[in-house]
Amino acid sequence: MFDIKAIYEAQSVGDAVRLRLEHPEAQIIAGGSDVLVQVREGKRAGRELISIYGLDELRGVSLDGEENLRIGSLTSFSHITRDPLVQKYCGVLGEAVDQVGSPQIRNIGTIGGNTCNGVTSADSASTLHAWEAIVELTGKNGVRRVPIHDFYIKAGTVDIRGEEGELQTAILIPRASYENTFGHYIKYGMRNAMEIATLGCSVNVRLSPDKRRIERCRIAYGVAGPVPMRAPSAEAAASGAEPSLALAEDFSRAVLRDIHPRDSWRAAKDFREHIAVEMAKRALIESVRKAGGDMA
């Protein structure tokens, strides 16, 4: 059923880097919810695999010395959803990954695998972009950190330097991004479960102390282009403005200046543009509500 040439089980991050250097054509495998399907379909048939699934050092959520939210790359979706630190500081990420696949997939699938796969439809991707996440990579030259916007190069391709033995070890949400910030994620699909997103939209806001002004706003999409992307025109329209339904309309229309959806068998370009506008409006209204503001 599975055509696999060889599988190597890493004993530590350093050991995984060594195996990457010794077997440059090998594929890293964690939970396997994507890789094993691709092997079965013949896309990665006959490949060598390097399993990092046993590396518990890459699991869990914590605050680092700078109070950035640090999520180990092997942390499962279900763990992220339930984690108290995620719920406290970036609850929308837990809500987003709770919409991945089935309970079985959420128990085995990892945040690292979801991002390293490089697909624009990943349910974590738009929220991580909206919260300005940083990707931590470890290789023979030590640790390298890359803003998630730069991590995604093109559809299906991310910035991992295999020639340096790199693997993703963590994702960080900076304190400057999560502090006093509240967000909302909307996924549009043809059904409510076990569905790849036709479009995903994640918005977050930080309000002034009196709740009468949006100090900071971020919005990002999945499936609005070949890679997950922010909508800076909409962010600029909302930042510094007073919350109102009129602002929500202006904000949502502004996204059309930045997104680049395409026609596909899942949805036409003009339909994606239509729902992108509506999703932006609804997500902004809900984000402001969560932050304690009023859009009346």
Side-chain angles (χ1 to χ4, degrees):
M1 184 175 181
F2 294 102
D3 180 6
I4 298 170
K5 181 179 179 180
I7 184 165
Y8 310 100
E9 189 170 354
Q11 302 301 308
S12 66
V13 170
D15 190 40
V17 171
R18 177 187 64 81
L19 288 167
R20 286 273 275 163
L21 294 170
E22 291 179 358
H23 306 275
E25 300 301 319
Q27 169 69 47
I28 292 284
I29 182 171
S33 56
D34 285 322
V35 171
L36 290 180
V37 171
Q38 292 164 358
V39 170
R40 186 181 62 193
E41 292 175 344
K43 296 175 182 177
R44 298 184 186 273
R47 295 285 293 275
E48 294 177 306
L49 302 179
I50 298 172
S51 174
I52 61 171
Y53 195 69
L55 304 185
D56 286 341
E57 62 198 283
L58 299 185
R59 288 187 171 85
V61 182
S62 61
L63 292 178
D64 67 14
E66 298 175 348
E67 297 190 358
N68 301 311
L69 189 65
R70 189 179 194 280
I71 305 171
S73 290
L74 290 186
T75 309
S76 70
F77 300 125
S78 54
H79 186 141
I80 290 170
T81 300
R82 296 193 303 265
D83 186 84
L85 289 173
V86 172
Q87 292 175 354
K88 181 177 180 180
Y89 295 116
C90 190
V92 64
L93 179 60
E95 295 167 6
V97 300
D98 200 42
Q99 298 184 50
V100 174
S102 64
Q104 295 92 333
I105 293 296
R106 294 192 292 273
N107 284 340
I108 196 72
T110 64
I111 191 74
N114 202 225
T115 50
C116 289
N117 207 20
V119 296
T120 183
S121 59
D123 285 302
S124 67
S126 55
T127 294
L128 291 174
H129 275 70
W131 291 74
E132 300 171 324
I134 296 170
V135 178
E136 179 187 278
L137 303 159
T138 302
K140 68 177 183 180
N141 296 318
V143 174
R144 183 168 67 97
R145 289 184 173 178
V146 182
I148 197 161
H149 177 269
D150 298 326
F151 182 64
Y152 284 76
I153 298 172
K154 61 182 180 179
T157 302
V158 294
D159 180 18
I160 296 181
R161 299 173 183 173
E163 69 276 9
E164 296 181 8
E166 284 188 341
L167 64 150
Q168 189 197 111
T169 46
I171 292 176
L172 295 93
I173 309 294
R175 178 181 175 180
S177 294
Y178 73 70
E179 194 167 37
N180 299 320
T181 303
F182 300 84
H184 187 61
Y185 172 72
I186 300 175
K187 174 180 180 177
Y188 183 91
M190 298 302 174
R191 56 185 182 179
N192 293 328
M194 295 289 289
E195 177 71 338
I196 295 174
T198 302
L199 197 74
C201 176
S202 188
V203 173
N204 63 71
V205 299
R206 179 180 300 145
L207 299 184
S208 59
D210 63 5
K211 310 298 183 184
R212 298 181 65 180
R213 184 171 55 86
I214 298 174
E215 290 189 339
R216 177 182 183 273
C217 178
R218 299 289 184 267
I219 177 171
Y221 285 95
V223 208
V227 295
M229 60 177 58
R230 297 256 297 272
S233 297
E235 294 176 355
S239 296
E242 293 183 9
S244 69
L245 294 178
L247 171 65
E249 292 287 349
D250 292 341
F251 169 81
S252 62
R253 298 300 304 179
V255 303
L256 296 176
R257 302 174 201 160
D258 299 312
I259 64 174
H260 309 287
R262 64 181 179 89
D263 291 316
S264 76
W265 68 269
R266 292 186 183 276
K269 174 182 177 179
D270 58 354
F271 178 69
R272 281 196 169 101
E273 289 176 337
H274 171 75
I275 60 175
V277 171
E278 185 63 26
M279 292 165 80
K281 179 169 65 176
R282 295 186 186 190
L284 178 67
I285 291 171
E286 182 63 13
S287 297
V288 170
R289 185 196 68 78
K290 287 181 177 179
D294 185 358
M295 294 292 282

